[in-house]
Amino acid sequence: WEIELIIAKEIIVDFNKLRTFLDGDYRRFIDALLLRYEVRDLKLVLRTLYRKENTKELRDHMMHDRSKEHIDFDKLLNLTSISEVAGLVKGSIFEEAFVSIDEDDISRIEFHMDMVLDAVYFRNLIKSTEKMSKEDQNIVVDAVGLMIDLLNIQWIYRAKKYHHMLDEELLNYTLLG
């Protein structure tokens, strides 16, 4: 994880350098790309909460750019339940991901949250391209579509192998795009 962390932090630094040379629409796109790391860190915290582990040790594992946080990770790391997290994310772009949370089905909640948070990320990413030129928008939509397809394949495999989900359930979880 240490190598992954170093690489991610360097990518964030490079994107932030590039961001300074871009205008508003393309700057918003870079911000949307960087949301990936915040989503990853939020999933890490949620996974730790599911497993009833100590979230205090996660600070060293965080990748996202703290200056662009959509939620307060200092507060997040002090929470002890998923319902507390749902309260913290109210009013943020992550709020919609916590609407359908049911802590009773803990065996599937981790899978569900991963998928819903990724859906938030990809919707935000596609939305950030709306004011780009048609040519640039098409390039991004094609690339994001490929990423979504690959992620859907991973999800289907995990859902079948580890969660024994029905095909009908899988359709509800696949990302569009």
Side-chain angles (χ1 to χ4, degrees), residues 135-147:
E135 183 181 355
D136 290 345
Q137 192 175 20
N138 288 338
I139 291 168
V140 171
V141 168
D142 287 345
V144 170
L146 180 61
M147 290 171 25

Side-chain angles (χ1 to χ4, degrees), residues 13-58:
V13 166
D14 290 345
F15 271 133
N16 279 325
K17 286 178 185 174
L18 176 64
R19 188 180 178 280
T20 61
F21 297 103
L22 299 173
D23 69 359
D25 298 332
Y26 292 88
R27 190 176 281 192
R28 275 189 287 283
F29 175 69
I30 295 294
D31 290 343
L33 276 174
L34 291 175
L35 181 64
R36 170 184 178 193
Y37 299 103
E38 190 172 356
V39 166
R40 180 252 179 218
D41 290 346
L42 180 54
K43 286 183 197 179
L44 182 65
V45 172
L46 290 171
R47 205 168 293 123
T48 303
L49 288 174
Y50 305 141
R51 296 176 183 157
K52 307 281 188 226
E53 297 171 351
N54 186 1
T55 56
K56 306 284 188 246
E57 300 168 8
L58 294 179

Side-chain angles (χ1 to χ4, degrees), residues 147-159 174:
M147 290 171 25
I148 288 172
D149 289 343
L150 294 172
L151 193 56
N152 279 336
I153 291 168
Q154 289 175 5
W155 283 356
I156 290 168
Y157 177 79
R158 283 175 48 208
T174 55

